[in-house]
Amino acid sequence: MSKRILVIEDHEDNRRILRDLLTSAGYEPLEAVTGEEGVALAETHRPDLILMDIQLPGLDGYEATRRIKANPALRHIPIIAVTSYALSGDEVKAKAAGCDAYVTKPFSPRALLAKVREFLPQG
Amino acid sequence: MSHELRTPLNAILGYTELILDNIYGEVGEKVRDVLGRLEKSGRHLLALINDVLDLSKIEAGQLTLALAEYSMADVVQTVVTAVEALAAEKHLALKVAVAPDLPLGRGDERRIGQVLLNLVGNAIKFTEVGEVRVEVSASDGAFRVAVADTGPGIAPEDQAKIFEEFQQVDSSSTRKKGGTGLGLSIAKRIVEMHRGRIWVESSPGKGSTFCFTLPVRVE
């Protein structure tokens, strides 16, 4: 069974890029557009990894990460934060919120896939 | 505003990379060549946007330093790792001499890295033969960083100008070398925000050495 990756990202093109990238690498992407939806999907679907955009409307990526990591049933799921270059200090905040790794935007799909493989070597 | 400008460009660069990686099917040589150009122009535009945004933030007084403790040796290492491949591609020797036992610094590590990356990147860009040397020392409560190259050198009358916006010595080189013409003026402002100094020592035909000093601890 292929590994499931939950993509929480509000921007449509970024979602599509991640979907195409992950599918082609043999992973099964799940998608959420908001932080609230992402936390709900994590609870119902128990993905193997989460790609978390930080700048989300409403519940942002930090808070969504904190909620997921506060749930003992979900705590083990690695979360890779996708942070913006513009805001220095993002990485520190992402780690503090419980993210296991981060990539900065603009992310290169190639580099992002390499990061995913550090946690999930195989789709 | 930065998010709005970068997001569509991220999409362009992201899709381009996926196509180049044959995610949407095998790509022929001709298309691959054009996509490579598209990617290069996209990256150039991204660099311009980043620099213009940085500069406008600095000018509006909105750029604040994120002060924290940092290791200057780590900053140097990160920058060197980032440019190693570029230097190797041009067969340039990249030499690093960091004084042992540098004191722990306090400043905006990311911004200081940005300054050093700019200087080392420029040195590699403008040097065709020889070496680029990075030297770091500390004395009297200040770090001193020097980036020396064996490039063409800079005439005395141009040496002050290059720290101004959009002033490369040869304007055609901006395009050819892929720079934005803003890097040094941003570097100067970041160094000055740390209450440091930046300057160049050079003569045509003898290479250039860009130096900056930073207080070890910026409060």
Side-chain angles (χ1 to χ4, degrees):
Chain A
M1 216 180 78
S2 53
K3 302 277 188 197
R4 283 197 295 199
I5 298 180
L6 172 58
V7 173
I8 307 176
E9 165 68 65
D10 63 319
H11 192 262
E12 191 188 340
D13 277 306
N14 284 343
R15 271 202 314 280
R16 162 122 198 227
I17 287 167
L18 291 170
R19 181 196 314 149
D20 294 347
L21 174 78
L22 296 172
T23 308
S24 79
Y27 299 102
E28 184 190 329
L30 284 167
E31 294 170 29
V33 179
T34 65
E36 287 86 350
E37 198 190 337
V39 174
L41 269 181
E43 284 164 359
T44 52
H45 288 71
R46 308 282 167 97
D48 299 290
L49 186 142
I50 297 172
L51 287 176
M52 178 77 76
D53 183 28
I54 290 301
Q55 281 184 291
L56 294 166
L59 187 69
D60 70 13
Y62 301 124
E63 189 50 37
T65 299
R66 273 191 284 270
R67 291 196 191 174
I68 292 167
K69 291 290 183 184
N71 183 337
L74 306 177
R75 190 171 292 160
H76 66 282
I77 303 173
I79 298 181
I80 300 178
V82 182
T83 65
S84 172
Y85 157 93
L87 308 167
S88 61
D90 260 9
E91 293 91 336
V92 180
K93 279 196 259 174
K95 293 255 170 169
C99 292
D100 300 271
Y102 65 86
V103 291
T104 44
K105 275 184 181 173
F107 62 83
S108 140
R110 232 170 265 153
L112 185 109
L113 186 59
K115 188 59 89 180
V116 167
R117 283 184 169 139
E118 284 177 23
F119 292 92
L120 300 178
Q122 275 169 9
Chain B
M1 150 148 125
S2 62
H3 193 57
E4 284 72 15
L5 281 173
R6 289 188 188 99
T7 302
L9 190 53
N10 291 348
I12 293 171
L13 286 169
Y15 284 125
T16 306
E17 196 178 300
L18 290 184
I19 301 170
L20 274 169
D21 283 358
N22 294 325
I23 300 268
Y24 301 110
E26 200 67 36
V27 177
E29 249 344 280
K30 263 192 190 165
V31 178
R32 180 169 295 279
D33 178 62
V34 175
L35 284 173
R37 287 163 185 272
L38 180 62
E39 194 172 40
K40 200 172 157 208
S41 284
R43 291 202 185 286
H44 190 188
L45 180 57
L46 184 63
L48 274 167
I49 289 175
N50 287 341
D51 280 0
V52 168
L53 288 176
D54 269 358
L55 207 57
S56 62
K57 248 202 260 174
I58 293 170
E59 278 174 354
Q62 284 169 354
L63 188 110
T64 46
L65 298 177
L67 297 176
E69 302 214 314
Y70 69 95
S71 147
M72 184 58 105
D74 288 352
V75 172
V76 174
Q77 191 50 52
T78 306
V79 169
V80 167
T81 306
V83 299
E84 256 167 356
L86 274 175
E89 222 169 82
K90 295 185 75 174
H91 305 291
L92 298 173
L94 184 55
K95 296 182 179 165
V96 182
V98 177
D101 307 323
L102 284 180
L104 194 65
R106 183 178 160 79
D108 190 329
E109 178 171 8
R110 183 189 202 124
R111 293 292 174 184
I112 295 166
Q114 183 181 358
V115 171
L116 186 59
L117 182 64
N118 179 265
L119 297 185
V120 180
N122 279 348
I124 294 172
K125 228 187 280 179
F126 291 99
T127 303
E128 295 310 323
V129 184
E131 64 171 51
V132 170
R133 191 176 168 81
V134 182
E135 281 180 32
V136 185
S137 59
S139 61
D140 302 326
F143 289 120
R144 184 181 186 281
V145 181
V147 179
D149 66 49
T150 53
I154 301 161
E157 62 270 26
D158 291 324
Q159 288 178 14
K161 236 168 57 180
I162 54 173
F163 290 100
E164 292 164 24
E165 281 89 70
F166 292 117
Q167 293 286 343
Q168 289 188 343
V169 170
D170 171 6
S171 60
S172 72
S173 74
T174 307
R175 219 179 36 246
K176 227 166 35 208
K177 303 284 184 183
T180 64
L182 291 174
L184 277 178
S185 64
I186 292 171
K188 181 169 188 272
R189 288 169 189 241
I190 291 172
V191 167
E192 287 172 353
M193 283 178 77
H194 281 87
R195 306 197 181 286
R197 229 161 53 77
I198 187 168
W199 70 98
V200 62
E201 293 161 3
S202 178
S203 51
K206 291 194 173 154
S208 307
T209 302
F210 283 83
C211 303
F212 67 91
T213 57
L214 286 179
V216 169
R217 298 192 68 84
V218 178
E219 303 295 343

